[in-house]
Amino acid sequence: MSGAVAAPRRSGRASRRRAWAELLRLPALFTVPGDALAGAAATAAAPNPRTLLAIGSSLCLYEAGMALNDWADREEDAAERPHRPLPSGRIHPAAALSAACALTGAGLALAARAGRPALAVAAPLAATVWSYDLALKHTPAGPPAMAAARGLDLLLGAAATTGRTREALSSAALLGTHTLAVTAVSRRETTGGTPLSPLAALVTAAALARLAARRPPQLPAGRGEAATRGLPGTTPEPGDATARTPAAATASLLRPALAAAYAATAARPYFHATLNPSPPLTQRAVAGGIRATIPLQAALAVRAGALRTGLLVAALAPLGKRFARTVSVT
């Protein structure tokens, strides 16, 4: 008899865990660490303990946004997505709102531990997340707000690692542009109806892939330091050995490979949604755009000269894909 009682209890706990995993869209978490790592790479600094704090802060703020998103959309989801955790009754709306508040506080606390520059970026990031979910999502300012949040998340990694953000502005702009395109497509994922957004996203992905594959201009660095990190330093003379370092050669191959992986991940579902902007294909386009975030982050890290960081970020893609098979992110 006791075993019969224990089995439903275990089943109930498993059901609650799955409901929270759906609410927080856990597979999408694999797209978050690359923001801080790409930000650190853009400053030509190796990740350090403050970078880990920035990653923790990003994860908390991202999950706060997920919980708040469903709390704010609970009435809309009741009509369009009744299977979601809140409208289905598996999670109470007050619990989702409480989780959003707690996760926001935790994210800001972790940023504060990383230093004042990190907190100075995390605070507007948190404000942007809340503004998007509560007020801006269904307005023309929605996609730019989401793009700003992703760009700020990359700058959070730079600020936490080195206290500087200027060098990371270019990478933040590229990542923000990608997010802008994905968010614009997502606005039609339940209704479909227009090929313009996926077509614009397809063109954007092609342009971003080309930019990510290029070796960016760098501020002058000492030749020895540049050669050690595989970074461009002062402009080498013809035949200069720094132009032929193994790291530079590897980067010249890895940059276009990761940029191509980004384009391949995003382009196909965007193209299908352009041909047939039905809700299922539009949702696949959004999912493809989200998955493409990881190879783009990796390409940006390698573009900045951080080969190992880029490979680490790229390794998150298969992990996220494998985890997504068991938990829905829609």
Side-chain angles (χ1 to χ4, degrees), residues 94-191:
L97 181 59
S98 298
C101 294
L103 286 164
T104 300
L108 293 174
L110 287 169
R113 287 288 303 274
R116 191 173 298 175
L119 182 59
V121 176
L125 170 58
T128 302
V129 169
W130 279 73
S131 297
Y132 173 82
D133 283 331
L134 297 182
L136 303 178
K137 183 188 308 181
H138 301 296
T139 73
M146 183 61 75
R150 202 84 202 205
L152 285 168
D153 202 34
L154 187 146
L155 295 179
L156 175 58
T161 304
T162 65
R164 306 187 310 271
T165 59
R166 183 171 66 91
E167 301 96 322
L169 290 175
S170 173
S171 293
L174 295 179
L175 186 60
T177 300
H178 163 73
T179 305
L180 177 67
V182 177
T183 308
V185 175
S186 73
R187 291 163 74 88
R188 293 277 188 167
E189 64 180 336
T190 59
T191 60

Side-chain angles (χ1 to χ4, degrees), residues 225-253:
E225 177 188 354
T228 300
R229 291 182 48 79
L231 291 169
T234 53
T235 304
E237 298 296 330
D240 193 329
T242 60
R244 300 192 305 273
T245 62
T250 302
S252 67
L253 296 174

Side-chain angles (χ1 to χ4, degrees), residues 20-96:
W20 279 100
E22 291 179 20
L23 176 75
L24 299 176
R25 295 165 178 82
L26 292 187
L29 277 183
F30 289 90
T31 71
V32 177
D35 289 348
L37 292 171
T43 64
N48 57 38
R50 292 189 302 277
T51 313
L52 295 179
L53 289 171
I55 292 174
S57 176
S58 297
L59 291 171
C60 288
L61 294 176
Y62 188 89
E63 290 292 48
M66 294 297 101
L68 187 63
N69 174 80
D70 279 26
W71 181 83
D73 286 353
R74 60 194 184 280
E75 293 181 2
E76 178 183 327
D77 284 345
E80 297 181 353
R81 296 175 175 177
H83 64 281
R84 292 291 299 154
L86 267 63
S88 67
R90 289 178 290 153
I91 295 177
H92 195 278

Side-chain angles (χ1 to χ4, degrees), residues 303-325:
R303 180 175 178 261
L307 303 184
R308 284 177 292 184
T309 297
L311 291 172
L312 174 62
V313 173
L316 295 173
L319 294 175
K321 185 176 181 180
R322 181 177 180 182
F323 192 57
R325 293 172 184 169

